[in-house]
Every structure is written in C-alpha cells, then in structure tokens.
Amino acid sequence: MTAASAASTAAPTLDALIQRRIRQDVQSMHAYAIQDSVGMVKLDAMENPHRLPADLQAALGKRLGALALNRYPDDRVNDLRRALATYANMPEGFDIMLGNGSDELISLLAMACDVNADPITGKKPVILAPLPGFVMYAMSATLQGLDFVGVPLTPDFELDETAMLAAIAQRQPAILYLAYPNNPTANLWNADSMARVIAAAGAVGSLVVLDEAYQPFSSRTYLDTIRAQPEQHTHVLLMRTMSKFGLAGVRIGYMVGPKALIAEVDKVRPPYNISVLNYECALFALEHREVFAAQALEIRAQRAMLLEALRQLPAVKVWNSDANMVLIRVPDAQKTFDGLKARGVLVKNVSKMHPLLAQCLRLTVGTAEENSRLLSALNEAL
Ligand SMILES: *Cc1c(COP(=O)(O)O)cnc(C)c1O
C-alpha cells in the first residue's frame, strides 16, 4: 500500500459541510503517490544510494544532538546561504534563497506570480514547460490558479524549438521552466535551441527558471553561460537541490538569480522554512564535500556501465543520460515493471505520464551491486 492510500483509508469520507470548504479542483486531484519500497532495491526516485561513512555519521550525530532545538532557526541559515553560494560559484550581482527542497521553491515562485488575467485578452497568466517534464511545474501553477501550458518535446526528447518559440510568443508566460538535464528523459537540451528559447522568453518579459537538480551528474551547467553573458540573462533564475547530491532526506533546495528578483520571491517564503537540523546537516555535508564528490563520480561510472549493459539488450531502447537515471523503452512496460518488482527491484513506470513515454521505464543508477541485481532481474522480466 502506498503512503497516500494508507492515508485515504484512514479518512474515508469528509463531512459534506466541511467538504464545501475544500477547493473543487483539489478534491478531484490525486495525492502524489510514493511507492512502498520496504525490502526492495530502491531505484525509483533518483536517490544517491550511498550513505555517510560510519565516522561521519557519528560526528554528525554529535553535532545535531548539541543543537538548540528549543530555538527557532537563526542567522546560521545565512552561513549555509554563503557556503552554497561559494560552492556553486554564484555570479557577481546575484543572490541566493533557500527552500525546503526545490519543490518548495517551485511553489513559492508560482505564489509570487501575478494572478490577474490580461485585461485585453482575458487570459490567465501561464507557466510553461516542455513535456514530458517534472510534475511540480504544472502542479504549482494549478494550485495558484495559473494556467499550465506543456509543449511536447520531439520524439527523441529534444526541445521542439519551433513549437517552443510559438508558444512563448502566443502565451507570453510568466515563467518558463527548463530542467537541465530534464526529468524523466535525463538529457541536456541542444545549447543553441536553449539559448534562442531563453532569449525569446526574455523578449516577451518571461522569467526563465533553469532547474539543475541533476547538476552533480551532468557534463554541463548553464551557469557558465550566465556568467559569460550576464546582460542576456537578467530574467533567468537557476535552481539546484542537495537531494540528488546525496541529501534527499534533508530537504535543501536553492535558487540563485539577480538580487532584485530574488528579493521579491523571497518575500513569500515562510520565515523559518529551513530547520535547524536541515541547515546543520547541509553545512556538515559541504564541509565533507569530497565524500559526496567521490560518490557522484562513482555514480557516473556506474551509469556508464549500466548504459553499456542496457545497450546489449536487443529488446530495450536506451537513451543517453546526463543524470543519475536512465530512461528505457521495453516491449511491455507494465509487464517488465511487475517482473522487476516480483524480483525485488523497484523502478518507476513512466509510460502513462505522457504519450512520448509509451512503454518507458525510468531506472535510477544504484550501487554496483544494485545495478547488477537490476540487470539480471531485467533480463528475466523481459
Ligand atoms: C528531484 C527534482 C526536483 C526536486 O528536488 P527536491 O529538492 O528534493 O524538492 C526538482 N526538479 C527536478 C527536475 C527534479 O527531478
């Protein structure tokens, strides 16, 4: 049973009078489903498979135990902001804000958007992103009463530049999201297409949010381009997270961008959104960044081996990856998913997410041992 269905069996019906107080669109939504993974090889959520070494676990435990949990988070959160700005080599004139995961930053961005319809066309403001993409972009838009427009990628998961430029010109979005690399397709966009799309969005006054959640595993970062051409990127925000880095349980996302823009978005942030435990864990991790860098290197090596092994399977189509996940197409995704699950391996069946993902599964890159269990289970399940 998923966490969501456990919750729904606990609260089967809502009093009819109370129900009237809940938004209609929320009532017809499904809660984000988290798959039950107890006892499984967990390759469904792009988590780093490595834990902290035992000596660091002990040192962190001591540090967390000594914190003043009776106090609200204090100025130490600014130590983390500075440490992350240095870690990311933040450009001149930029500022940084933190979120309880980048999921929170995505919600806060939608919250900061003007919701008034255009006085001439009567159309609601729009958040735009290519599809298939990260589900939070659409969800944050809907929950704030904004429209979401998804522009399909090409069948090989590149940006459809013509369609993107047309949608930007026609809808003049409040925000354009580009995940770089994208989830669940794991690829980077063509650099020239991306530059033209970002420029077109700037020309109609859109914000562009570049979501680099998978930066630890990526061969490129757009921050290099922003740093080289700052005057072309005054409408661009760049978002990262410590989740895929190895701290998915800690919940730290961050966003850098021009100072004045960050200052506006930061006004809608709940004042104590980063807990004492979150920031101390994140600071500890940055003090031991070489441990995480070694883990990322190992994951990239494992990704190369996994890609190579998958390419040997004639029934499997596999796409290249700049992230810690690999997208594959199999003859029957549900059957393969079930076969993997029966053999104790949990992956994500994304085949119903979007027509372009028909019969696709998303595999998170695990440890050497986990990947070999995945491969032998896949061979049997196909
Ligand atoms: C995982 C992911 C995130 C969310 O990360 P959190 O910081 O854990 O909330 C954001 N964007 C993309 C594209 C992701 O895949």
Side-chain angles (χ1 to χ4, degrees), residues 31-67:
Y32 188 94
I34 296 165
Q35 308 190 84
D36 184 12
S37 61
V38 178
M40 307 274 282
V41 176
K42 191 171 186 310
L43 301 175
D44 66 325
M46 284 78 77
E47 291 145 327
N48 176 340
H50 303 286
R51 299 185 55 168
L52 276 179
D55 57 329
L56 293 188
Q57 288 184 22
L60 176 61
K62 233 173 137 184
R63 225 156 106 172
L64 296 184
L67 292 173

PDB file of all heavy atoms in Angstrom, residues 31-67:
ATOM      1  N   ALA A  31      -3.394  12.631  -4.629  1.00  0.00           N
ATOM      2  CA  ALA A  31      -2.190  12.947  -3.860  1.00  0.00           C
ATOM      3  C   ALA A  31      -0.979  12.320  -4.553  1.00  0.00           C
ATOM      4  O   ALA A  31      -1.101  11.288  -5.207  1.00  0.00           O
ATOM      5  CB  ALA A  31      -2.312  12.394  -2.445  1.00  0.00           C
ATOM      6  N   TYR A  32       0.165  12.983  -4.440  1.00  0.00           N
ATOM      7  CA  TYR A  32       1.411  12.464  -5.028  1.00  0.00           C
ATOM      8  C   TYR A  32       1.675  11.085  -4.431  1.00  0.00           C
ATOM      9  O   TYR A  32       1.802  10.936  -3.207  1.00  0.00           O
ATOM     10  CB  TYR A  32       2.567  13.425  -4.721  1.00  0.00           C
ATOM     11  CG  TYR A  32       3.860  13.094  -5.439  1.00  0.00           C
ATOM     12  CD1 TYR A  32       4.167  13.695  -6.655  1.00  0.00           C
ATOM     13  CD2 TYR A  32       4.767  12.180  -4.902  1.00  0.00           C
ATOM     14  CE1 TYR A  32       5.349  13.394  -7.321  1.00  0.00           C
ATOM     15  CE2 TYR A  32       5.950  11.875  -5.564  1.00  0.00           C
ATOM     16  CZ  TYR A  32       6.235  12.484  -6.766  1.00  0.00           C
ATOM     17  OH  TYR A  32       7.401  12.184  -7.420  1.00  0.00           O
ATOM     18  N   ALA A  33       1.735  10.048  -5.277  1.00  0.00           N
ATOM     19  CA  ALA A  33       1.859   8.674  -4.782  1.00  0.00           C
ATOM     20  C   ALA A  33       3.327   8.304  -4.591  1.00  0.00           C
ATOM     21  O   ALA A  33       4.131   8.451  -5.507  1.00  0.00           O
ATOM     22  CB  ALA A  33       1.197   7.713  -5.759  1.00  0.00           C
ATOM     23  N   ILE A  34       3.652   7.857  -3.399  1.00  0.00           N
ATOM     24  CA  ILE A  34       5.010   7.371  -3.125  1.00  0.00           C
ATOM     25  C   ILE A  34       4.924   5.855  -3.020  1.00  0.00           C
ATOM     26  O   ILE A  34       4.135   5.320  -2.233  1.00  0.00           O
ATOM     27  CB  ILE A  34       5.565   8.012  -1.829  1.00  0.00           C
ATOM     28  CG1 ILE A  34       5.703   9.529  -2.036  1.00  0.00           C
ATOM     29  CG2 ILE A  34       6.899   7.391  -1.437  1.00  0.00           C
ATOM     30  CD1 ILE A  34       5.898  10.323  -0.780  1.00  0.00           C
ATOM     31  N   GLN A  35       5.700   5.162  -3.848  1.00  0.00           N
ATOM     32  CA  GLN A  35       5.616   3.704  -3.895  1.00  0.00           C
ATOM     33  C   GLN A  35       6.201   3.097  -2.614  1.00  0.00           C
ATOM     34  O   GLN A  35       7.208   3.563  -2.109  1.00  0.00           O
ATOM     35  CB  GLN A  35       6.415   3.153  -5.090  1.00  0.00           C
ATOM     36  CG  GLN A  35       6.080   3.774  -6.437  1.00  0.00           C
ATOM     37  CD  GLN A  35       6.728   3.028  -7.599  1.00  0.00           C
ATOM     38  OE1 GLN A  35       6.191   2.032  -8.068  1.00  0.00           O
ATOM     39  NE2 GLN A  35       7.876   3.496  -8.050  1.00  0.00           N
ATOM     40  N   ASP A  36       5.558   2.027  -2.137  1.00  0.00           N
ATOM     41  CA  ASP A  36       6.090   1.316  -0.973  1.00  0.00           C
ATOM     42  C   ASP A  36       7.356   0.581  -1.412  1.00  0.00           C
ATOM     43  O   ASP A  36       7.360  -0.117  -2.414  1.00  0.00           O
ATOM     44  CB  ASP A  36       5.047   0.318  -0.452  1.00  0.00           C
ATOM     45  CG  ASP A  36       5.522  -0.378   0.818  1.00  0.00           C
ATOM     46  OD1 ASP A  36       6.522   0.077   1.405  1.00  0.00           O
ATOM     47  OD2 ASP A  36       4.895  -1.372   1.212  1.00  0.00           O
ATOM     48  N   SER A  37       8.448   0.749  -0.650  1.00  0.00           N
ATOM     49  CA  SER A  37       9.737   0.219  -1.101  1.00  0.00           C
ATOM     50  C   SER A  37      10.411  -0.653  -0.048  1.00  0.00           C
ATOM     51  O   SER A  37      11.586  -0.979  -0.184  1.00  0.00           O
ATOM     52  CB  SER A  37      10.650   1.395  -1.459  1.00  0.00           C
ATOM     53  OG  SER A  37      10.854   2.192  -0.311  1.00  0.00           O
ATOM     54  N   VAL A  38       9.669  -1.034   1.016  1.00  0.00           N
ATOM     55  CA  VAL A  38      10.291  -1.793   2.102  1.00  0.00           C
ATOM     56  C   VAL A  38      10.886  -3.096   1.568  1.00  0.00           C
ATOM     57  O   VAL A  38      10.212  -3.871   0.882  1.00  0.00           O
ATOM     58  CB  VAL A  38       9.256  -2.087   3.230  1.00  0.00           C
ATOM     59  CG1 VAL A  38       9.894  -2.912   4.345  1.00  0.00           C
ATOM     60  CG2 VAL A  38       8.708  -0.780   3.779  1.00  0.00           C
ATOM     61  N   GLY A  39      12.167  -3.329   1.839  1.00  0.00           N
ATOM     62  CA  GLY A  39      12.834  -4.568   1.448  1.00  0.00           C
ATOM     63  C   GLY A  39      13.210  -4.641  -0.023  1.00  0.00           C
ATOM     64  O   GLY A  39      13.666  -5.678  -0.495  1.00  0.00           O
ATOM     65  N   MET A  40      13.016  -3.556  -0.760  1.00  0.00           N
ATOM     66  CA  MET A  40      13.288  -3.581  -2.204  1.00  0.00           C
ATOM     67  C   MET A  40      14.625  -2.904  -2.521  1.00  0.00           C
ATOM     68  O   MET A  40      15.103  -2.075  -1.762  1.00  0.00           O
ATOM     69  CB  MET A  40      12.198  -2.810  -2.973  1.00  0.00           C
ATOM     70  CG  MET A  40      10.786  -3.225  -2.674  1.00  0.00           C
ATOM     71  SD  MET A  40      10.268  -4.610  -3.687  1.00  0.00           S
ATOM     72  CE  MET A  40       9.940  -3.791  -5.227  1.00  0.00           C
ATOM     73  N   VAL A  41      15.183  -3.241  -3.691  1.00  0.00           N
ATOM     74  CA  VAL A  41      16.272  -2.446  -4.261  1.00  0.00           C
ATOM     75  C   VAL A  41      15.590  -1.200  -4.824  1.00  0.00           C
ATOM     76  O   VAL A  41      14.816  -1.278  -5.767  1.00  0.00           O
ATOM     77  CB  VAL A  41      17.002  -3.218  -5.387  1.00  0.00           C
ATOM     78  CG1 VAL A  41      18.062  -2.334  -6.033  1.00  0.00           C
ATOM     79  CG2 VAL A  41      17.646  -4.483  -4.826  1.00  0.00           C
ATOM     80  N   LYS A  42      15.863  -0.052  -4.188  1.00  0.00           N
ATOM     81  CA  LYS A  42      15.060   1.146  -4.459  1.00  0.00           C
ATOM     82  C   LYS A  42      15.706   1.992  -5.546  1.00  0.00           C
ATOM     83  O   LYS A  42      16.642   2.749  -5.289  1.00  0.00           O
ATOM     84  CB  LYS A  42      14.903   1.948  -3.162  1.00  0.00           C
ATOM     85  CG  LYS A  42      13.879   3.066  -3.250  1.00  0.00           C
ATOM     86  CD  LYS A  42      13.621   3.677  -1.879  1.00  0.00           C
ATOM     87  CE  LYS A  42      12.487   4.704  -1.906  1.00  0.00           C
ATOM     88  NZ  LYS A  42      12.606   5.708  -2.942  1.00  0.00           N
ATOM     89  N   LEU A  43      15.188   1.845  -6.757  1.00  0.00           N
ATOM     90  CA  LEU A  43      15.750   2.558  -7.914  1.00  0.00           C
ATOM     91  C   LEU A  43      14.645   3.354  -8.614  1.00  0.00           C
ATOM     92  O   LEU A  43      14.560   3.390  -9.839  1.00  0.00           O
ATOM     93  CB  LEU A  43      16.401   1.560  -8.885  1.00  0.00           C
ATOM     94  CG  LEU A  43      17.551   0.705  -8.301  1.00  0.00           C
ATOM     95  CD1 LEU A  43      18.036  -0.324  -9.307  1.00  0.00           C
ATOM     96  CD2 LEU A  43      18.704   1.594  -7.844  1.00  0.00           C
ATOM     97  N   ASP A  44      13.805   4.008  -7.798  1.00  0.00           N
ATOM     98  CA  ASP A  44      12.642   4.708  -8.369  1.00  0.00           C
ATOM     99  C   ASP A  44      12.673   6.223  -8.200  1.00  0.00           C
ATOM    100  O   ASP A  44      11.835   6.906  -8.777  1.00  0.00           O
ATOM    101  CB  ASP A  44      11.351   4.172  -7.734  1.00  0.00           C
ATOM    102  CG  ASP A  44      11.261   4.498  -6.252  1.00  0.00           C
ATOM    103  OD1 ASP A  44      12.328   4.504  -5.580  1.00  0.00           O
ATOM    104  OD2 ASP A  44      10.151   4.761  -5.753  1.00  0.00           O
ATOM    105  N   ALA A  45      13.590   6.764  -7.414  1.00  0.00           N
ATOM    106  CA  ALA A  45      13.447   8.189  -7.047  1.00  0.00           C
ATOM    107  C   ALA A  45      14.737   8.996  -7.149  1.00  0.00           C
ATOM    108  O   ALA A  45      14.836  10.054  -6.521  1.00  0.00           O
ATOM    109  CB  ALA A  45      12.847   8.306  -5.650  1.00  0.00           C
ATOM    110  N   MET A  46      15.709   8.533  -7.920  1.00  0.00           N
ATOM    111  CA  MET A  46      16.973   9.266  -8.130  1.00  0.00           C
ATOM    112  C   MET A  46      17.683   9.625  -6.833  1.00  0.00           C
ATOM    113  O   MET A  46      18.330  10.668  -6.741  1.00  0.00           O
ATOM    114  CB  MET A  46      16.751  10.514  -8.984  1.00  0.00           C
ATOM    115  CG  MET A  46      16.579  10.211 -10.444  1.00  0.00           C
ATOM    116  SD  MET A  46      14.937   9.614 -10.820  1.00  0.00           S
ATOM    117  CE  MET A  46      14.029  11.143 -10.772  1.00  0.00           C
ATOM    118  N   GLU A  47      17.549   8.755  -5.842  1.00  0.00           N
ATOM    119  CA  GLU A  47      18.330   8.972  -4.623  1.00  0.00           C
ATOM    120  C   GLU A  47      19.761   8.497  -4.837  1.00  0.00           C
ATOM    121  O   GLU A  47      20.012   7.550  -5.585  1.00  0.00           O
ATOM    122  CB  GLU A  47      17.691   8.207  -3.451  1.00  0.00           C
ATOM    123  CG  GLU A  47      16.371   8.787  -3.032  1.00  0.00           C
ATOM    124  CD  GLU A  47      15.371   7.738  -2.584  1.00  0.00           C
ATOM    125  OE1 GLU A  47      15.395   6.607  -3.127  1.00  0.00           O
ATOM    126  OE2 GLU A  47      14.561   8.040  -1.704  1.00  0.00           O
ATOM    127  N   ASN A  48      20.686   9.163  -4.157  1.00  0.00           N
ATOM    128  CA  ASN A  48      22.072   8.682  -4.094  1.00  0.00           C
ATOM    129  C   ASN A  48      22.043   7.401  -3.243  1.00  0.00           C
ATOM    130  O   ASN A  48      21.531   7.424  -2.126  1.00  0.00           O
ATOM    131  CB  ASN A  48      22.912   9.800  -3.446  1.00  0.00           C
ATOM    132  CG  ASN A  48      24.363   9.417  -3.208  1.00  0.00           C
ATOM    133  OD1 ASN A  48      24.704   8.238  -3.163  1.00  0.00           O
ATOM    134  ND2 ASN A  48      25.204  10.413  -3.043  1.00  0.00           N
ATOM    135  N   PRO A  49      22.571   6.277  -3.747  1.00  0.00           N
ATOM    136  CA  PRO A  49      22.457   5.018  -2.987  1.00  0.00           C
ATOM    137  C   PRO A  49      23.425   4.922  -1.808  1.00  0.00           C
ATOM    138  O   PRO A  49      23.328   3.994  -1.014  1.00  0.00           O
ATOM    139  CB  PRO A  49      22.793   3.956  -4.039  1.00  0.00           C
ATOM    140  CG  PRO A  49      23.718   4.636  -4.990  1.00  0.00           C
ATOM    141  CD  PRO A  49      23.254   6.076  -5.043  1.00  0.00           C
ATOM    142  N   HIS A  50      24.360   5.881  -1.704  1.00  0.00           N
ATOM    143  CA  HIS A  50      25.400   5.784  -0.677  1.00  0.00           C
ATOM    144  C   HIS A  50      25.013   6.567   0.579  1.00  0.00           C
ATOM    145  O   HIS A  50      24.539   7.691   0.486  1.00  0.00           O
ATOM    146  CB  HIS A  50      26.725   6.333  -1.208  1.00  0.00           C
ATOM    147  CG  HIS A  50      27.180   5.644  -2.461  1.00  0.00           C
ATOM    148  ND1 HIS A  50      27.698   4.365  -2.453  1.00  0.00           N
ATOM    149  CD2 HIS A  50      27.159   6.043  -3.753  1.00  0.00           C
ATOM    150  CE1 HIS A  50      27.985   4.020  -3.705  1.00  0.00           C
ATOM    151  NE2 HIS A  50      27.668   5.009  -4.513  1.00  0.00           N
ATOM    152  N   ARG A  51      25.270   5.965   1.736  1.00  0.00           N
ATOM    153  CA  ARG A  51      25.063   6.680   2.995  1.00  0.00           C
ATOM    154  C   ARG A  51      26.378   7.306   3.430  1.00  0.00           C
ATOM    155  O   ARG A  51      27.416   7.075   2.823  1.00  0.00           O
ATOM    156  CB  ARG A  51      24.546   5.698   4.049  1.00  0.00           C
ATOM    157  CG  ARG A  51      23.223   5.093   3.635  1.00  0.00           C
ATOM    158  CD  ARG A  51      22.646   4.219   4.698  1.00  0.00           C
ATOM    159  NE  ARG A  51      22.521   4.928   5.962  1.00  0.00           N
ATOM    160  CZ  ARG A  51      21.829   4.468   7.005  1.00  0.00           C
ATOM    161  NH1 ARG A  51      21.216   3.316   6.909  1.00  0.00           N
ATOM    162  NH2 ARG A  51      21.769   5.149   8.112  1.00  0.00           N
ATOM    163  N   LEU A  52      26.319   8.098   4.509  1.00  0.00           N
ATOM    164  CA  LEU A  52      27.555   8.660   5.056  1.00  0.00           C
ATOM    165  C   LEU A  52      28.395   7.534   5.632  1.00  0.00           C
ATOM    166  O   LEU A  52      27.853   6.586   6.215  1.00  0.00           O
ATOM    167  CB  LEU A  52      27.235   9.630   6.193  1.00  0.00           C
ATOM    168  CG  LEU A  52      26.866  11.069   5.864  1.00  0.00           C
ATOM    169  CD1 LEU A  52      26.576  11.814   7.163  1.00  0.00           C
ATOM    170  CD2 LEU A  52      27.993  11.771   5.118  1.00  0.00           C
ATOM    171  N   PRO A  53      29.740   7.615   5.515  1.00  0.00           N
ATOM    172  CA  PRO A  53      30.602   6.656   6.214  1.00  0.00           C
ATOM    173  C   PRO A  53      30.364   6.722   7.735  1.00  0.00           C
ATOM    174  O   PRO A  53      29.961   7.773   8.248  1.00  0.00           O
ATOM    175  CB  PRO A  53      32.016   7.130   5.871  1.00  0.00           C
ATOM    176  CG  PRO A  53      31.876   8.061   4.715  1.00  0.00           C
ATOM    177  CD  PRO A  53      30.486   8.605   4.738  1.00  0.00           C
ATOM    178  N   ALA A  54      30.628   5.611   8.432  1.00  0.00           N
ATOM    179  CA  ALA A  54      30.268   5.486   9.859  1.00  0.00           C
ATOM    180  C   ALA A  54      30.868   6.597  10.724  1.00  0.00           C
ATOM    181  O   ALA A  54      30.200   7.119  11.625  1.00  0.00           O
ATOM    182  CB  ALA A  54      30.694   4.115  10.377  1.00  0.00           C
ATOM    183  N   ASP A  55      32.137   6.975  10.459  1.00  0.00           N
ATOM    184  CA  ASP A  55      32.744   8.010  11.309  1.00  0.00           C
ATOM    185  C   ASP A  55      32.034   9.354  11.130  1.00  0.00           C
ATOM    186  O   ASP A  55      31.845  10.101  12.098  1.00  0.00           O
ATOM    187  CB  ASP A  55      34.250   8.130  11.008  1.00  0.00           C
ATOM    188  CG  ASP A  55      34.543   8.436   9.541  1.00  0.00           C
ATOM    189  OD1 ASP A  55      33.749   8.005   8.677  1.00  0.00           O
ATOM    190  OD2 ASP A  55      35.542   9.119   9.266  1.00  0.00           O
ATOM    191  N   LEU A  56      31.605   9.647   9.901  1.00  0.00           N
ATOM    192  CA  LEU A  56      30.888  10.906   9.679  1.00  0.00           C
ATOM    193  C   LEU A  56      29.482  10.856  10.282  1.00  0.00           C
ATOM    194  O   LEU A  56      28.970  11.861  10.771  1.00  0.00           O
ATOM    195  CB  LEU A  56      30.828  11.238   8.182  1.00  0.00           C
ATOM    196  CG  LEU A  56      32.167  11.568   7.516  1.00  0.00           C
ATOM    197  CD1 LEU A  56      31.947  12.058   6.090  1.00  0.00           C
ATOM    198  CD2 LEU A  56      32.944  12.612   8.307  1.00  0.00           C
ATOM    199  N   GLN A  57      28.858   9.680  10.237  1.00  0.00           N
ATOM    200  CA  GLN A  57      27.544   9.536  10.891  1.00  0.00           C
ATOM    201  C   GLN A  57      27.650   9.895  12.363  1.00  0.00           C
ATOM    202  O   GLN A  57      26.813  10.627  12.908  1.00  0.00           O
ATOM    203  CB  GLN A  57      27.027   8.102  10.765  1.00  0.00           C
ATOM    204  CG  GLN A  57      26.568   7.730   9.372  1.00  0.00           C
ATOM    205  CD  GLN A  57      25.968   6.329   9.324  1.00  0.00           C
ATOM    206  OE1 GLN A  57      25.517   5.789  10.337  1.00  0.00           O
ATOM    207  NE2 GLN A  57      25.954   5.751   8.143  1.00  0.00           N
ATOM    208  N   ALA A  58      28.696   9.384  13.004  1.00  0.00           N
ATOM    209  CA  ALA A  58      28.871   9.631  14.444  1.00  0.00           C
ATOM    210  C   ALA A  58      29.132  11.122  14.695  1.00  0.00           C
ATOM    211  O   ALA A  58      28.547  11.719  15.609  1.00  0.00           O
ATOM    212  CB  ALA A  58      30.020   8.779  14.980  1.00  0.00           C
ATOM    213  N   ALA A  59      29.983  11.724  13.868  1.00  0.00           N
ATOM    214  CA  ALA A  59      30.317  13.143  14.056  1.00  0.00           C
ATOM    215  C   ALA A  59      29.084  14.027  13.833  1.00  0.00           C
ATOM    216  O   ALA A  59      28.836  14.973  14.589  1.00  0.00           O
ATOM    217  CB  ALA A  59      31.431  13.533  13.082  1.00  0.00           C
ATOM    218  N   LEU A  60      28.295  13.689  12.804  1.00  0.00           N
ATOM    219  CA  LEU A  60      27.077  14.471  12.534  1.00  0.00           C
ATOM    220  C   LEU A  60      26.075  14.312  13.678  1.00  0.00           C
ATOM    221  O   LEU A  60      25.464  15.288  14.119  1.00  0.00           O
ATOM    222  CB  LEU A  60      26.450  14.028  11.203  1.00  0.00           C
ATOM    223  CG  LEU A  60      25.115  14.677  10.832  1.00  0.00           C
ATOM    224  CD1 LEU A  60      25.244  16.192  10.696  1.00  0.00           C
ATOM    225  CD2 LEU A  60      24.544  14.091   9.533  1.00  0.00           C
ATOM    226  N   GLY A  61      25.936  13.089  14.163  1.00  0.00           N
ATOM    227  CA  GLY A  61      25.002  12.822  15.267  1.00  0.00           C
ATOM    228  C   GLY A  61      25.327  13.674  16.481  1.00  0.00           C
ATOM    229  O   GLY A  61      24.444  14.257  17.110  1.00  0.00           O
ATOM    230  N   LYS A  62      26.605  13.779  16.776  1.00  0.00           N
ATOM    231  CA  LYS A  62      27.050  14.573  17.925  1.00  0.00           C
ATOM    232  C   LYS A  62      26.686  16.043  17.716  1.00  0.00           C
ATOM    233  O   LYS A  62      26.215  16.718  18.632  1.00  0.00           O
ATOM    234  CB  LYS A  62      28.574  14.442  18.056  1.00  0.00           C
ATOM    235  CG  LYS A  62      29.020  14.010  19.440  1.00  0.00           C
ATOM    236  CD  LYS A  62      30.496  13.737  19.460  1.00  0.00           C
ATOM    237  CE  LYS A  62      31.099  14.334  20.721  1.00  0.00           C
ATOM    238  NZ  LYS A  62      32.553  14.173  20.743  1.00  0.00           N
ATOM    239  N   ARG A  63      26.916  16.508  16.489  1.00  0.00           N
ATOM    240  CA  ARG A  63      26.657  17.918  16.199  1.00  0.00           C
ATOM    241  C   ARG A  63      25.161  18.233  16.246  1.00  0.00           C
ATOM    242  O   ARG A  63      24.749  19.249  16.803  1.00  0.00           O
ATOM    243  CB  ARG A  63      27.210  18.273  14.818  1.00  0.00           C
ATOM    244  CG  ARG A  63      27.953  19.576  14.864  1.00  0.00           C
ATOM    245  CD  ARG A  63      28.928  19.635  13.749  1.00  0.00           C
ATOM    246  NE  ARG A  63      28.404  20.555  12.743  1.00  0.00           N
ATOM    247  CZ  ARG A  63      29.105  20.944  11.686  1.00  0.00           C
ATOM    248  NH1 ARG A  63      30.328  20.478  11.495  1.00  0.00           N
ATOM    249  NH2 ARG A  63      28.587  21.783  10.831  1.00  0.00           N
ATOM    250  N   LEU A  64      24.353  17.343  15.703  1.00  0.00           N
ATOM    251  CA  LEU A  64      22.908  17.585  15.709  1.00  0.00           C
ATOM    252  C   LEU A  64      22.361  17.510  17.127  1.00  0.00           C
ATOM    253  O   LEU A  64      21.475  18.270  17.512  1.00  0.00           O
ATOM    254  CB  LEU A  64      22.188  16.580  14.800  1.00  0.00           C
ATOM    255  CG  LEU A  64      22.516  16.663  13.308  1.00  0.00           C
ATOM    256  CD1 LEU A  64      21.658  15.681  12.515  1.00  0.00           C
ATOM    257  CD2 LEU A  64      22.332  18.078  12.765  1.00  0.00           C
ATOM    258  N   GLY A  65      22.926  16.578  17.911  1.00  0.00           N
ATOM    259  CA  GLY A  65      22.458  16.418  19.295  1.00  0.00           C
ATOM    260  C   GLY A  65      22.693  17.661  20.138  1.00  0.00           C
ATOM    261  O   GLY A  65      21.946  17.926  21.086  1.00  0.00           O
ATOM    262  N   ALA A  66      23.711  18.422  19.798  1.00  0.00           N
ATOM    263  CA  ALA A  66      24.068  19.599  20.601  1.00  0.00           C
ATOM    264  C   ALA A  66      23.307  20.858  20.179  1.00  0.00           C
ATOM    265  O   ALA A  66      23.464  21.912  20.805  1.00  0.00           O
ATOM    266  CB  ALA A  66      25.574  19.845  20.491  1.00  0.00           C
ATOM    267  N   LEU A  67      22.467  20.767  19.152  1.00  0.00           N
ATOM    268  CA  LEU A  67      21.779  21.977  18.666  1.00  0.00           C
ATOM    269  C   LEU A  67      20.678  22.420  19.622  1.00  0.00           C
ATOM    270  O   LEU A  67      20.069  21.599  20.306  1.00  0.00           O
ATOM    271  CB  LEU A  67      21.158  21.709  17.285  1.00  0.00           C
ATOM    272  CG  LEU A  67      22.134  21.504  16.142  1.00  0.00           C
ATOM    273  CD1 LEU A  67      21.379  21.076  14.887  1.00  0.00           C
ATOM    274  CD2 LEU A  67      22.928  22.778  15.884  1.00  0.00           C
TER     275      LEU A  67
END
